[in-house]
């Protein structure tokens, strides 16, 4: 699995940690949900991400580990 789009209708309030199992994931789109935080585990598990979009959520900060995802565009 390389692409996951969980937008609008999902109304995610919390990041589903199950997504961290998809280590070959390249694109993760979580726009227009109700996310308040992103876990550091996301960055540690999904090191191959090239695109991460979390637009229009309720985030007030991003995890420091996000800087380790050097492949992000």
């Amino acid at each position: 699995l390389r692409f996951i789009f969980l937008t609008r209708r999902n109304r995610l309030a919390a990041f589903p940690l199950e997504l961290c199992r998809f280590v070959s994931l390249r694109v993760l789109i979580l726009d227009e949900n109700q996310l308040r935080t992103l876990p550091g585990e996301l960055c540690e598990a999904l090191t191959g991400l090239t695109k991460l979009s979390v637009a229009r959520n309720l985030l007030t900060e991003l995890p420091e580990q996000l800087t380790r995802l050097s492949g992000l565009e």
Side-chain angles (χ1 to χ4, degrees):
L1 191 61
R2 294 191 180 267
F3 305 92
I4 294 180
F5 295 85
L6 295 173
T7 59
R8 285 185 243 171
R9 294 184 185 138
N10 293 292
R11 296 185 182 145
L12 297 174
F15 180 85
L17 287 176
E18 294 84 5
L19 294 178
C20 291
R21 291 185 290 164
F22 300 109
V23 295
S24 62
L25 197 62
R26 297 294 175 256
V27 176
L28 179 57
I29 309 297
L30 299 169
D31 294 345
E32 297 183 43
N33 281 289
Q34 298 173 1
L35 297 174
R36 295 185 181 277
T37 62
L38 288 178
E41 293 91 344
L42 158 81
C43 306
E44 294 167 9
L46 302 178
T47 57
L49 280 180
T50 58
K51 181 171 179 90
L52 172 64
S53 183
V54 291
R56 293 179 298 279
N57 275 284
L58 303 174
L59 298 168
T60 57
E61 63 183 7
L62 296 172
E64 183 180 322
Q65 296 96 321
L66 197 59
T67 61
R68 296 184 199 149
L69 296 177
S70 59
L72 287 179
E73 299 174 353

